[in-house]
Amino acid sequence: MPQIITEQNLRNLIDLLVKEAKLVVGPKLSGSVVLYEPLTAGSDLTLDALPRRSSKELFFPICEDILSYKRENGSMKVTDVDRSQFPEAVLIGAPPCDAGSPAILDAVMSWDYKDEFYLERRRKSTIVGIACTKGDDACFCRAVGLAPDAEAGSDLFLTPLKDGSYACKAVTEKGEALVAAHRNLFAEGAGGDPVPFVDQGVGKLDLVKIKKWLEEHFEDPLWEKIADICVGCGACAFICPACHCFDINDEGSTDDGVRRKHWDACGFAKFTNHASGHNPRDVQNKRYRNRIMHKFKYYDGKFGKTLCTGCGRCIRACPVGIDIAEILETINSKQD
Amino acid sequence: MCKSENIYLPNLATIEAIVDETPDVRTLRLVFQDEQVRENFSFRAGQFAEYSSFGFGESTFCIASAPTRKGYIECCFRSVGRVTESLRRLEVGDTVGVRGPYGNSFPIEDFYGKSLVFIAGGIALPPLRTVIWNCLDLRDKFKDITIVYGARSEADLVYKHELKEWQERDDVRLVKCVDPGGAGPDFDGKVGFVPTVLEEAAPSAENTIALVCGPPIMIKFTLPVLERLGFTDDNIYTTLENRMKCGVGKCGRCNVGNVYVCKDGPVFTARQVKAMSQEF
Ligand SMILES: Cc1cc2nc3c(=O)[nH]c(=O)nc-3n(C[C@H](O)[C@H](O)[C@H](O)COP(=O)(O)OP(=O)(O)OC[C@H]3O[C@@H](n4cnc5c(N)ncnc54)[C@H](O)[C@@H]3O)c2cc1C
Ligand code: SF4
Ligand code: SF4
Ligand code: FES
């Protein structure tokens, strides 16, 4: 049975979840930018703009402790992180390009060895996605198999309606449970007309064709042409909902400290540098090529998924104007 | 406390012995502190581990001792940076962390009944030393065993005491060499680069497996020599030592195409390496 929730009840839902001691994260005006931040009340939620950074940090924090160590009476003791303390979380108001990313990252985090830091947060979270009506000409989610109204990755999916309320669809059991627990905030019915989507700047892309081209053009003048100007700042990776490279380092003394996992990026010059000085990706265009290859060929080859949700953030953030969608269009239009 | 396993949690091990191989290469003999880990830890030749120096972080080294020798493991590393230099400051009795074993291994059972040629350059002997001892401990299972090992200079040869032992055994042929200019007056090996010395030594390729480890440049010049000697790409094994961090296919650092060297490697045949045709 379709459900409706009014905007006020959506905010009331957030208030209730906060009262239930859940970690509620959603788009919030933070200074002059909208970011995904913990909401302390329903009135914090803003759905006016796509948050500057993606929501992946709810599952995969920029930096997190993975163990602590301490020397006691001369002997070293290592203590695990108590993951049972990770909060029950609700991500609310994430458009498909963000709501969809954990569903993509699950593959790498759970093949063979399981990254329980990520997976425990995934288990304990519910994602309330929302159809996107705020797209701009950097968006290209349709081109990578999502859409402004794609439910993939959401547990509960909201569609903004012209009258200001939202049509709700429980996509998973977690979504059903969220509705069931707050039944009085939802009304039955299909609701009125949805708010129309904004047209996307990028046309249809043939990802199979792009993958094939990448397979056959590891060496190609295109890489120097487009990627020599990359400055390797890593902004594109840090802002991306799908990038997941990390480093592990200790902080503290030799007697007492923590080991932490923190974001890294394949665009950084030393990312693959061997201690011998040999660097397989010794120039910037090779590093940028790896970024494209990983997203549109390698990840797909290994896990059957495209490592990009078409959110367009890297396009908006790149200081030298490298445009991943334009590159994909260029490849897509190639004849050989 | 946590039911689910933390894949980043190391086991603790005590440094039981230290051997200085060269001025900047050191071997640590490590014994796990937990009795159960000590008894249950097993690995296969070619696998690696993440070793931690608390306060500095983790570094990737192969397990250099042989799986046939129980009760301890050894790693052998060159001091080149932050973690390795801090490991070097540790003393006998100090604690390090060990995660692993990770990665694939040399398929030693497949080599039974064949001859083996080991070719190593510089600090790359450790990944082969584990196989060498593994095979020497099962000596009857193999035909001829040849080891070609070279370093820049006499001082840079690692495991000098073991080279002597191999030299003295009559069931091993050791060809030891140093680059031109690297030999002292009493050097009893050959002078020349590994590929050249290998070509002169001319081991038979008949029913033989070649195992090559060394810097990329050495491997590049060694493969054509092996080809001339009659080795096929399926009978040549090597290890790729891409920079690693997690060791378990998560951190995205070690890939060559969609191959995760930490999971799918580090051991590959020359045929597999050539098929990658990508940067490494
Ligand atoms: C599967 C595998 C097996 C391996 N097996 C072995 C082995 O058996 N033995 C072995 O010795 N190595 C081995 N290695 C290589 C080993 O992992 C590296 O040598 C080691 O991780 C270096 O760690 P580090 O923290 O000391 O270096 P880092 O500090 O990370 O240094 C890396 C690079 O940065 C440079 N650098 C560091 N500090 C500075 C600074 N302050 N200023 C400027 N430059 C700096 C270094 O010179 C080096 O080029 C293996 C690698 C792999 C992947
Ligand atoms: S690669 Fe760019 S467009 Fe694709 S998900 Fe990452 S930030 Fe968004
Ligand atoms: S944001 Fe632009 S300049 Fe920075 S690493 Fe990414 S592509 Fe390169
Ligand atoms: S070392 Fe992290 S993915 Fe291979």
Side-chain angles (χ1 to χ4, degrees):
Chain A
M1 179 63 67
Q3 314 262 345
I4 304 289
I5 190 166
T6 61
E7 184 182 327
Q8 187 51 53
N9 274 349
L10 183 62
R11 295 186 190 276
N12 292 343
L13 175 66
I14 293 170
D15 286 335
L16 283 172
L17 293 170
V18 170
K19 244 183 235 144
E20 290 167 19
K22 297 231 164 57
L23 169 65
V24 186
V25 171
K28 180 181 170 184
L29 191 64
S30 175
S32 59
V33 291
V34 175
L35 297 173
Y36 287 102
E37 294 213 324
L39 307 178
T40 49
S43 54
D44 283 350
L45 181 75
T46 171
L47 295 171
D48 293 340
L50 182 73
R52 177 79 59 92
R53 302 206 308 255
S54 86
S55 58
K56 80 173 168 202
E57 47 202 281
L58 175 59
F59 310 98
F60 176 35
I62 297 178
C63 191
E64 71 179 317
D65 293 0
I66 53 174
L67 61 88
S68 58
Y69 60 90
K70 198 175 173 69
R71 198 182 301 276
E72 279 168 0
N73 308 322
S75 62
M76 187 64 78
K77 197 167 171 273
V78 166
T79 309
D80 199 352
V81 170
D82 185 358
R83 290 178 295 283
S84 68
Q85 299 300 310
F86 287 0
E88 296 275 339
V90 182
L91 171 64
I92 209 156
C97 57
D98 285 331
S101 85
I104 297 170
L105 293 180
D106 287 350
V108 66
M109 294 301 181
S110 62
W111 77 295
D112 201 351
Y113 292 87
K114 311 238 174 304
D115 185 314
E116 286 295 336
F117 291 88
Y118 171 91
L119 294 173
E120 182 66 5
R121 288 197 176 84
R122 279 286 278 145
R123 273 180 222 117
K124 287 188 162 166
S125 65
T126 303
I127 300 179
V128 181
I130 187 165
C132 176
T133 54
K134 303 286 181 294
D136 63 23
D137 58 7
C139 294
F140 61 102
C141 64
R142 282 191 196 284
V144 294
L146 286 168
D149 59 348
E151 296 160 358
S154 291
D155 296 302
L156 181 66
F157 192 73
L158 308 179
T159 304
L161 302 176
K162 280 183 177 158
D163 67 5
S165 63
Y166 298 88
C168 312
K169 183 176 169 199
V171 185
T172 67
E173 281 175 13
K174 275 184 183 173
E176 273 167 25
L178 185 70
V179 174
H182 305 92
R183 174 86 49 212
N184 58 332
L185 298 177
F186 296 83
E188 283 186 3
D193 288 341
V195 178
F197 310 127
V198 178
D199 262 352
Q200 301 195 344
V202 182
K204 185 114 189 75
L205 293 175
D206 181 346
L207 291 180
V208 176
K209 181 182 168 189
I210 290 172
K211 188 174 163 222
K212 185 157 181 291
W213 189 89
L214 291 173
E215 246 149 37
E216 291 162 2
H217 294 81
F218 187 74
E219 301 292 350
D220 192 275
L222 179 82
W223 303 119
E224 282 112 84
K225 193 162 151 256
I226 59 169
D228 267 350
I229 58 163
C230 171
V231 293
C233 65
C236 52
F238 276 52
I239 215 161
C240 174
C243 279
H244 58 271
C245 289
F246 62 87
D247 200 352
I248 300 173
N249 278 300
D250 286 7
E251 274 178 39
S253 69
T254 51
D255 290 339
D256 187 3
V258 289
R259 181 159 294 166
R260 316 184 92 179
K261 194 170 119 186
H262 51 86
W263 292 359
D264 206 339
C266 66
F268 292 152
K270 287 207 161 184
F271 189 69
T272 54
N273 195 40
H274 292 199
S276 63
H278 169 71
N279 193 347
R281 296 183 209 133
D282 53 355
V283 294
Q284 198 59 34
N285 70 57
K286 290 188 187 170
R287 301 193 265 274
Y288 191 81
R289 172 178 63 191
N290 183 70
R291 177 173 176 77
I292 301 279
M293 291 273 178
H294 191 192
K295 290 189 176 294
F296 300 98
K297 172 169 144 38
Y298 305 154
Y299 202 82
D300 186 288
K302 192 114 195 145
F303 303 115
K305 291 171 181 188
T306 300
L307 196 64
C308 170
T309 66
C311 70
R313 285 195 177 86
C314 57
I315 301 169
R316 297 179 201 103
C318 181
V320 296
I322 293 180
D323 183 333
I324 198 169
E326 202 178 288
I327 294 165
L328 294 173
E329 283 185 312
T330 304
I331 295 174
N332 195 52
S333 67
K334 285 187 183 286
Q335 294 308 313
D336 64 347
Chain B
M1 182 173 48
C2 300
K3 273 179 268 137
S4 52
E5 209 186 330
N6 177 353
I7 52 174
Y8 306 108
L9 214 55
N11 289 306
L12 297 180
T14 304
I15 300 177
E16 200 193 52
I18 294 176
V19 177
D20 278 322
E21 306 287 351
T22 77
D24 62 353
V25 177
R26 173 170 274 196
T27 296
L28 302 181
R29 176 174 292 206
L30 306 169
V31 175
F32 289 110
Q33 292 171 1
D34 185 290
E35 198 176 326
Q36 247 182 333
V37 175
R38 204 155 56 224
E39 272 163 27
N40 296 340
F41 188 89
S42 69
F43 69 99
R44 294 178 49 89
Q47 289 193 292
F48 65 93
E50 291 295 331
Y51 301 81
S52 42
S53 165
F54 293 100
F56 293 89
E58 293 182 309
S59 222
T60 315
F61 313 128
C62 67
I63 302 178
S65 50
T68 39
R69 305 190 172 185
K70 310 263 182 223
Y72 65 90
I73 59 167
E74 284 178 343
C75 65
C76 174
F77 63 93
R78 170 176 279 159
S79 298
V80 288
R82 202 175 134 76
V83 177
T84 46
E85 265 152 30
S86 73
L87 279 170
R88 201 184 161 76
R89 285 194 289 272
L90 299 179
E91 294 166 4
V92 168
D94 281 343
T95 297
V96 298
V98 181
R99 284 197 285 134
Y102 296 135
N104 72 349
S105 56
F106 291 97
I108 289 180
E109 288 84 357
D110 296 353
F111 304 160
Y112 286 179
K114 297 181 195 259
S115 294
L116 302 172
V117 180
F118 295 93
I119 305 145
I123 171 72
L125 187 55
L128 291 186
R129 179 212 190 208
T130 171
V131 195
I132 293 173
W133 280 119
N134 192 341
C135 295
L136 289 179
D137 287 345
L138 308 169
R139 187 63 188 88
D140 311 347
K141 306 226 182 258
F142 306 95
K143 297 211 160 74
D144 298 343
I145 294 185
T146 307
I147 302 167
V148 179
Y149 173 52
R152 256 172 318 179
S153 77
E154 223 179 313
D156 290 310
L157 292 165
V158 299
Y159 300 124
K160 293 194 180 66
H161 46 296
E162 295 183 5
L163 294 176
K164 194 155 174 282
E165 202 177 328
W166 296 336
Q167 205 154 16
E168 282 163 5
R169 282 176 76 131
D170 51 15
D171 59 352
V172 176
R173 176 179 174 215
L174 174 77
V175 184
K176 172 173 86 172
C177 63
V178 293
D179 293 356
D186 302 327
F187 185 56
D188 57 348
K190 294 195 179 301
V191 174
F193 295 103
V194 169
T196 323
V197 171
L198 170 69
E199 192 147 26
E200 281 165 16
S204 161
E206 172 79 31
N207 193 30
T208 305
I209 298 289
L211 302 92
V212 196
C213 279
I217 185 84
M218 186 205 94
I219 295 189
K220 187 170 164 230
F221 287 109
T222 300
L223 291 182
V225 172
L226 285 171
E227 216 165 288
R228 283 201 288 281
L229 291 171
F231 286 85
T232 61
D233 288 348
D234 287 322
N235 289 333
I236 304 172
Y237 287 80
T238 189
T239 60
L240 292 185
E241 304 208 332
N242 278 14
R243 196 152 176 84
M244 295 183 180
K245 202 68 198 205
C246 70
V248 291
K250 309 286 171 233
C251 76
R253 191 175 309 268
C254 68
N255 75 300
V256 182
N258 60 7
V259 169
Y260 281 81
V261 176
C262 65
K263 285 286 304 134
D264 306 317
V267 178
F268 296 96
T269 63
R271 178 179 305 281
Q272 289 171 316
V273 169
K274 284 182 183 169
M276 291 177 200
S277 75
Q278 312 243 344
E279 72 238 306
F280 51 80

